[in-house]
Amino acid sequence: MQHVIQVREQKVRVLLVQGYPSYEYRFLRNMLGRDPSIELHAVLQEADLQHAQQDAVVLPSFPLRREDVFSYDVIIFGDVNPALLGATALASVAEFVRQPGKGGALVLIAGPRYMPAAYRDSPLVPLVPIDLGSLRYPDPSQVLSSGFRVRPTELGLSSPPMQLGDTPQQTAQIWQNLPPLYWLVEAPDLKPGARVLADHPDKTAPDGKALPVICLQYVGAGKVLFHATDETYRWRWRTGDLYFARYWVQMLRFLARSKLLEGKQGVTLSTDQPEYPRGALVRLLVRFDDERLAPAEDD
C-alpha cells in the first residue's frame, strides 16, 4: 500500500479580532503570537493608535480591502462590535467563508456585549451554527459560582482537533479533568447542519438535548466554529498553555485545511484507533476536504 503525504511549511494566517481586551483575547493573542506555525495579526477595537504602534502583531483597524481579508486562512471574531466594522467588512467576511472550493474559516467566540446577539441583522447570520432568536445570556448582576466541565460529544472525541492526548482514552480523561468554565450563552436551537463537538454536562434545551458549548457548521468548503463561552483560557490553570494551546492550534489547523489545500478535492479515510484486538469493532471515518462532495445522508 502506498500513501502520498504532503508536508507544508507554510504558516496558518490568522486574524484575531476583539472589541476590548478580555482574558480570552489576551491569552489567545499571546499564545498564538508565540506559536511558530501561526502567523498572527490582531485587531483590538477599543485600543488607541499607540497600542498598534507598540505591538507589531496588532493592526490599526480591520482590513478594508477584500483581498486583504481573503489573505487569511482563519478569522477569529471574539466579542466584536459589528457597528465599528460596518456592513462592507461583514459582507467581506461572509464572502471569505463562502469562497468556492477553498472557503475560509471563521471562529465566533461568544461574549457578554456583542457576540452573537448583536449580529442578528448582519451578513453573518446564515453562517452561524445556532439560531440567534433563542439566545439566553447569564444575568450580569449575578456572580457565577457554579462551574461546568466541557463534555465532548462522541463526534467531538473522534475529531482530530479535539484530541488532547496520545490515545482516545487519554483524550477522554484529559477533557474530564480540565478546569471548569463558568460563563455560557445558552443557544438551545441549532441549525440543521450544525455539528456539536462539545456540550454542557447538565444544562439541557427544551427538547432535552444538552446545550452546545462548541459546535461546527460547514458552509460549502468553508467552516464556521462557534464557542458559546469565552473562558477556554481557564484551561491554563496549573498547566499553562499545554492543553489551551493544543486545542486552539489543532483546531485552527483543522479549520484552515480547505484554504491550504487550495480547492483540491480530497477524501481522507482513517480509523479511530491505530491497533485493534481480534474481533474488536473497527470504526472507519471518512472526511471530505470539500463537504459538498459528501453524500446527502452523511452525518
Side-chain angles (χ1 to χ4, degrees):
M1 180 180 295
Q2 294 183 344
H3 296 277
V4 178
I5 299 176
Q6 292 183 339
V7 179
R8 296 173 177 262
E9 296 182 357
Q10 66 194 95
K11 296 182 178 182
V12 177
R13 285 177 51 84
V14 177
L15 177 62
L16 173 62
V17 190
Q18 171 69 14
Y20 50 90
S22 65
Y23 285 114
E24 189 84 324
Y25 167 81
R26 293 175 184 177
F27 285 112
L28 267 178
R29 181 259 170 268
N30 292 334
M31 181 273 292
L32 295 177
R34 292 191 301 265
D35 192 281
S37 69
I38 302 293
E39 180 181 342
L40 178 68
H41 289 149
V43 175
L44 187 60
Q45 292 179 314
E46 295 185 4
D48 53 31
L49 293 178
Q50 290 183 346
H51 179 62
Q53 294 171 354
Q54 296 170 355
D55 190 338
V57 167
V58 177
L59 303 177
S61 62
F62 189 84
L64 297 178
R65 299 191 306 171
R66 177 178 177 273
E67 54 266 33
D68 291 337
V69 174
F70 279 44
S71 70
Y72 293 98
D73 302 312
V74 183
I75 296 176
I76 303 175
F77 268 21
D79 207 9
V80 179
N81 185 350
L84 297 181
L85 290 179
T88 301
L90 292 173
S92 294
V93 173
E95 189 179 355
F96 159 80
V97 176
R98 292 195 179 100
Q99 292 176 81
K102 54 176 182 178
L106 177 65
V107 179
L108 304 175
I109 303 175
R113 300 187 190 178
Y114 311 108
M115 180 64 69
Y119 289 80
R120 285 193 175 100
D121 299 320
S122 79
L124 300 188
V125 170
L127 310 181
V128 184
I130 60 173
D131 183 352
L132 300 183
S134 60
L135 299 174
R136 181 182 175 186
Y137 279 75
D139 186 344
S141 64
Q142 294 185 354
V143 176
L144 300 176
S145 58
S146 179
F148 66 93
R149 284 184 167 84
V150 175
R151 182 181 64 183
T153 61
E154 183 179 357
L155 176 63
L157 285 174
S158 65
S159 299
M162 302 283 284
Q163 304 306 307
L164 301 184
D166 296 331
T167 66
Q169 293 76 18
Q170 287 183 6
T171 291
Q173 189 65 38
I174 290 170
W175 279 104
Q176 291 175 10
N177 293 329
L178 284 178
L181 311 184
Y182 295 85
W183 192 88
L184 179 80
V185 169
E186 297 185 12
D189 294 335
L190 294 168
K191 292 183 179 176
R195 304 180 179 194
V196 180
L197 301 181
D199 55 24
H200 197 288
D202 304 312
K203 292 186 177 181
T204 58
D207 61 1
K209 295 182 180 179
L211 290 174
V213 178
I214 303 173
C215 55
L216 176 72
Q217 177 168 274
Y218 289 90
V219 182
K223 304 180 185 74
V224 179
L225 182 77
F226 176 73
H227 276 207
T229 178
D230 64 347
E231 292 188 343
T232 64
Y233 69 88
R234 293 185 183 275
W235 293 341
R236 301 182 70 260
W237 188 62
R238 291 187 175 180
T239 61
D241 282 341
L242 179 59
Y243 301 123
F244 177 72
R246 186 174 298 178
Y247 167 79
W248 274 107
V249 173
Q250 288 181 167
M251 182 61 76
L252 293 177
R253 296 197 69 82
F254 165 76
L255 294 172
R257 281 189 63 190
S258 296
K259 195 81 159 31
L260 294 176
L261 287 171
E262 299 177 349
K264 295 179 181 178
Q265 299 177 346
V267 180
T268 302
L269 178 65
S270 61
T271 59
D272 60 337
Q273 297 183 41
E275 297 180 359
Y276 297 87
R278 183 181 299 274
L281 179 65
V282 178
R283 183 180 185 187
L284 298 177
L285 307 174
V286 181
R287 292 188 176 87
F288 293 81
D289 296 329
D290 185 343
E291 286 294 312
R292 292 171 296 181
L293 301 177
E297 66 275 11
D298 178 58
D299 61 0

